[in-house]
Amino acid sequence: MKTNYEIRYAAHPEDAKHYDTQRIRRDFLMEKVFAPDEVNMIYSMYDRMIVGGALPVNEVLTLEAIDPLKASYFLTRREMGIFNVGGPGEVKAGGAVFTLDYKEALYLGSGDREVTFRSLDAARPAKFYFNSTTAHRNYPDRKVTKQDAIVAEMGSLEGSNHRCINKMLVSQVLPTCQLQMGMTELKPGSVWNTMPAHVHSRRMEAYFYFEVPEEHAVCHFMGQPEETRHLWMRGDQAVLSPEWSIHSAAATHNYTFIWGMGGENLDYGDQDFSEITDLK
């Protein structure tokens, strides 16, 4: 197996407005989340969130304690949320084994133990997407399915944004220190998410887009409401969203995305909205 990581530093919004396309992609986009028998991750200076993916095919992959953590185990001072976006697989955390099917999630609390990823069928390997934030105490590990989620149906087909927001690893479902994660599914014919756009200066966020057909793409919008930028993305890619940035997208096909947040509070509704007509 192979573990790859890189560190992404935080940007001031006054600096970011001068970035060109190459710099925006370099600083905010994670192009390679999955590669066979690899664990790939970004250690972000935005609330110290780690964003990554594990794709076990022929090997069992270990979640290694990368050097920036300065810890014996990855979860020594961290909590973690994992979504399986591939075939059936297993996550082993210490002595506990959790089987995850497609679109099922797992919360792992902090604590010294080894974590491994395994696919149950190499022909249909599991794809484990994860977010991790720092944690001040341990909360119990727990598997969460869509049946456990708090579901909010929003938007309309007429507005091209009919979607179901599955709040899965959130404080209303299970206790966490600061991590909040969920999955938004857009209905056929709808392409817009998170519109009207918002920021929440108390938290950063990461988006992972999937169920995007090979010949289609997602245009992710970021930046300050009065100084927006965009990123063209493919399926199975992730993007970092600073606390000062909007995070919204439109695509050439309906899709699904996983959102993860970390920061000062656990209030899902802590959002500062912008009028659509005020975006620039």
Side-chain angles (χ1 to χ4, degrees):
M1 66 162 285
K2 185 178 181 182
T3 297
N4 305 302
Y5 76 90
E6 58 178 296
I7 297 173
R8 299 281 181 93
Y9 291 95
H12 193 287
E14 287 298 314
D15 295 329
K17 69 170 63 176
H18 300 292
Y19 292 175
D20 61 12
T21 298
Q22 183 179 6
R23 179 69 184 274
I24 290 172
R25 297 180 71 86
R26 188 187 78 188
D27 282 14
F28 301 104
L29 177 64
M30 185 175 186
E31 292 193 76
K32 187 178 78 168
V33 176
F34 298 117
D37 294 319
E38 290 184 7
V39 179
N40 293 296
M41 64 183 87
I42 287 175
Y43 184 103
S44 166
M45 292 302 177
Y46 296 113
D47 288 292
R48 303 280 174 170
M49 179 183 278
I50 293 177
V51 177
L55 176 53
V57 180
N58 299 309
E59 302 178 43
V60 176
L61 303 183
T62 299
L63 182 66
E64 296 181 326
I66 58 175
D67 183 68
L69 300 181
K70 306 300 182 185
S72 300
Y73 295 89
F74 189 96
L75 293 178
T76 294
R77 297 183 295 270
R78 286 186 161 269
E79 60 186 350
M80 187 175 196
I82 303 166
F83 278 73
N84 184 7
V85 296
E90 285 183 350
V91 178
K92 184 177 181 181
V97 178
F98 301 91
T99 300
L100 297 183
D101 288 324
Y102 189 58
K103 292 185 175 180
E104 293 186 335
L106 175 64
Y107 172 81
L108 296 179
S110 64
D112 286 352
R113 62 206 189 280
E114 185 177 81
V115 176
T116 60
F117 304 99
R118 183 172 78 92
S119 292
L120 299 183
D121 181 358
R124 294 189 305 120
K127 297 160 73 174
F128 298 106
Y129 171 74
F130 58 83
N131 290 171
S132 173
T133 53
T134 57
H136 61 276
R137 59 159 294 175
N138 168 265
Y139 285 111
D141 301 342
R142 180 178 164 186
K143 175 180 173 178
V144 176
T145 70
K146 287 173 64 177
Q147 287 68 40
D148 303 313
I150 296 172
V151 181
E153 188 169 356
M154 300 184 68
S156 66
L157 183 59
E158 290 78 12
S160 303
N161 61 2
H162 187 196
R163 61 200 189 275
C164 285
I165 302 172
N166 301 280
K167 304 174 188 178
M168 297 174 71
L169 306 183
V170 298
S171 57
Q172 297 92 337
V173 175
L174 78 173
T176 69
C177 292
Q178 62 165 310
L179 183 65
Q180 305 277 279
M181 293 184 74
M183 179 174 61
T184 299
E185 300 169 300
L186 276 75
K187 302 291 186 180
S190 291
V191 296
W192 278 102
N193 75 66
T194 322
M195 185 58 66
H198 65 264
V199 298
H200 28 72
S201 59
R202 279 67 57 190
R203 298 191 301 260
M204 65 81 65
E205 196 156 354
Y207 274 17
F208 169 78
Y209 294 98
F210 68 111
E211 293 190 325
V212 180
E214 184 67 27
E215 68 277 16
H216 289 274
V218 176
C219 189
H220 178 87
F221 294 90
M222 61 170 294
Q224 294 175 292
E226 69 279 5
E227 191 77 37
T228 59
R229 297 292 185 269
H230 69 272
L231 272 168
W232 281 100
M233 300 174 61
R234 306 297 297 273
D236 285 0
Q237 292 183 342
V239 61
L240 301 173
S241 181
E243 73 285 347
W244 45 261
S245 176
I246 65 168
H247 29 284
S248 180
T252 55
H253 192 280
N254 66 301
Y255 54 92
T256 301
F257 70 98
I258 294 169
W259 42 268
M261 296 182 283
E264 189 173 341
N265 64 38
L266 298 173
D267 181 7
Y268 178 85
D270 183 1
Q271 303 166 358
D272 301 322
F273 285 92
S274 296
E275 297 290 340
I276 295 174
T277 52
D278 289 339
L279 297 175
K280 296 178 182 178

